[in-house]
Amino acid sequence: MNNTPRALIVGMGIGGLATAMRLHEIGWEPVIVERASERRPAGYFIGLFETGRATAQRMGVLDAIGNRLGADSITYDIDRSGRRRPGTGYGDLPGDPRLILRGDVEAALYDTVASRTEIRFGTTPVTVDEHPDGVDVTLRTTSGQEATEATERFGLVVGADGLRSTVRRLSFGPDTQYLRPLNHIIGATILKEHVPGYRPQDGLVLAEPGRSAWVFPFSDHQPGLLLSYRTDEEDAQFRRPPIESLRRAFGPEPAGPVLEHLLQQFEQTDDVLFDSVHQVEMETWHTDRVVLLGDAAWCLTLYSGMGASTALAGAELLGTLLQRNPGNTARALREWDQRLRPFITHLQHDGRTSGLSMFVPQSRRDKAVRAFTQKLAVLPAGKRVLTSLAARQFKQKSLDIAAV
């Protein structure tokens, strides 16, 4: 008999791959299932703060992840007419976050995981039946026009399948119980060409009350684009093409040369993310043998900048606590939840407040504060003061929560 415990990991994103890597290290047999029929493209930009970097270093993948922020990058604050002044970019934030693509982390993990982990594409759970000694999961695999179902037993099920998690719905209840709307819409993509009049390594921020456009520069890749806006009519945004909703949100004023270029680029790009912004709020992320991780459990949103870092740290910590509690998965999951929850709760609050307003000024006052801060930042004394204040605010993003 094979006494190696098996774990089903649903979702082949950062959290799922990191969990598979960590569980293999502690002697489990992970099986990854992914709804998509193949690996996803590199996707949008993310920041990797110290919380995630420390984990990636211990897992041996930090060098492979790399850093796409150029040394001579400058971010400009601009307005619709095209006026510009030096501003503060994502790479200028305390903690020296690495600006990378989601796929950079996934590729670094996949290269290690794929050779020693069973991965099934086109597969999703349809039932999750938990027992004291295991979890029976019925998996549906689709190939072309055919679909087959089979039930297997696992010692642990990890839901790392994103904001609208199938595992969460099957084991904990419908999305409506857990999704907290932030009343904002995001449109993200990779530009096919950089903005005319700017260097490829230049970043741009156009920030107005209730809406903003950010261009993130990469040293060796086309720039990333994030369009954000506030709305009280979330459902209406999806009853028309994304570009139409974006143009309405950024109207009725003329777009101006830069914003018009960005909107045209978004419309012409095939791989885009257009979605409403939610956090996930749950009193517990686990049962005795089913656990949620990453966006499925907490979804910090792009505004927090900590989604990738917490997925990595959460996966590493999960493996550590399972290793420390052999044969007692329920206790390991309780300890995991208790250790992570205060950290995640703080980050969620930050994402709803200062993180959100940093990306999208919520009022004219926020806009004025941002303008004053940018002017202050160009003065040596002012920059020192702002750096000190920001370092306190960003301290939580440097905590090595998985180091136990």
Side-chain angles (χ1 to χ4, degrees), residues 78-404:
I78 66 171
D79 61 21
R80 294 192 183 219
S81 69
R83 289 193 296 263
R84 70 178 81 175
R85 63 171 178 267
T88 301
Y90 202 87
D92 300 317
L93 296 175
D96 298 321
R98 295 192 179 196
L99 188 60
I100 53 180
L101 297 170
R102 183 200 69 219
D104 293 335
V105 186
E106 292 179 355
L109 293 167
Y110 182 86
D111 288 345
T112 301
V113 169
S115 62
R116 57 192 190 189
T117 303
E118 181 181 357
I119 300 174
R120 307 177 193 175
F121 289 99
T123 303
T124 187
V126 291
T127 66
V128 176
D129 189 11
E130 185 173 352
H131 304 280
D133 56 347
V135 188
D136 293 331
V137 184
T138 300
L139 296 167
R140 176 181 294 150
T141 300
T142 303
S143 178
Q145 300 297 318
E146 296 185 359
T148 58
E149 292 187 3
T151 300
E152 300 178 44
R153 173 156 289 201
F154 299 89
L156 174 69
V157 173
V158 181
D161 48 343
L163 174 63
R164 296 172 180 86
S165 165
T166 298
V167 175
R168 189 183 62 232
R169 176 174 50 81
L170 293 174
S171 295
F172 297 88
D175 290 348
T176 52
Q177 293 184 22
Y178 305 112
L179 298 191
R180 174 175 181 165
L182 299 193
N183 299 316
H184 280 69
I185 301 292
I186 57 171
T189 192
I190 299 297
L191 298 176
K192 292 184 177 180
E193 58 187 61
H194 67 271
V195 179
Y198 293 86
R199 303 176 305 165
Q201 65 267 39
D202 289 338
L204 307 176
V205 181
L206 190 157
E208 301 173 344
R211 55 196 182 185
S212 69
W214 286 63
V215 174
F216 299 91
F218 298 116
S219 61
D220 55 356
H221 197 276
Q222 291 300 105
L225 171 65
L226 175 64
L227 300 166
S228 302
Y229 63 91
R230 187 177 59 234
T231 180
D232 294 324
E233 299 179 337
E234 182 178 294
D235 291 343
Q237 309 309 307
F238 303 98
R239 291 198 287 265
R240 49 185 175 252
I243 187 60
E244 184 177 338
S245 290
L246 287 166
R247 288 192 175 278
R248 290 191 185 192
F250 282 87
E253 304 91 335
V258 175
L259 181 57
E260 180 60 34
H261 175 82
L262 297 178
L263 291 170
Q264 289 181 8
Q265 286 278 294
F266 185 92
E267 185 176 16
Q268 295 166 8
T269 303
D270 297 328
D271 183 22
V272 300
L273 170 68
F274 183 77
D275 204 354
S276 52
V277 182
H278 296 80
Q279 290 181 343
V280 176
E281 293 188 340
M282 305 180 69
E283 293 183 358
T284 180
W285 299 318
H286 66 91
T287 62
D288 284 348
R289 291 186 176 273
V290 178
V291 63
L292 303 173
L293 187 144
D295 284 354
W298 48 75
C299 193
L300 298 177
T301 77
L302 283 175
Y303 300 138
S304 78
M306 287 291 286
S309 294
T310 54
L312 287 168
E316 185 190 14
L317 183 62
L318 178 62
T320 299
L321 293 177
L322 285 168
Q323 186 178 34
R324 290 186 177 181
N325 293 275
N328 197 336
T329 300
R331 184 169 65 190
L333 298 185
R334 286 196 302 272
E335 291 181 6
W336 178 84
D337 193 311
Q338 290 165 3
R339 182 172 178 87
L340 270 182
R341 187 164 294 277
F343 179 66
I344 296 297
T345 299
H346 178 92
L347 292 175
Q348 285 191 321
H349 178 266
D350 179 73
R352 294 191 299 268
T353 53
S354 58
L356 175 57
S357 62
M358 184 188 81
F359 278 96
V360 188
Q362 295 299 293
S363 63
R364 292 186 181 277
R365 179 181 178 278
D366 283 352
K367 171 67 173 173
V369 169
R370 178 180 176 82
F372 173 76
T373 301
Q374 300 295 349
K375 290 179 180 179
L376 194 61
V378 301
L379 304 173
K383 187 173 184 179
R384 287 195 296 270
V385 172
L386 291 174
T387 300
S388 177
L389 293 173
R392 297 175 198 167
Q393 178 185 345
F394 281 79
K395 182 179 180 180
Q396 197 80 2
K397 298 183 179 183
S398 296
L399 294 180
D400 189 0
I401 191 65
V404 295

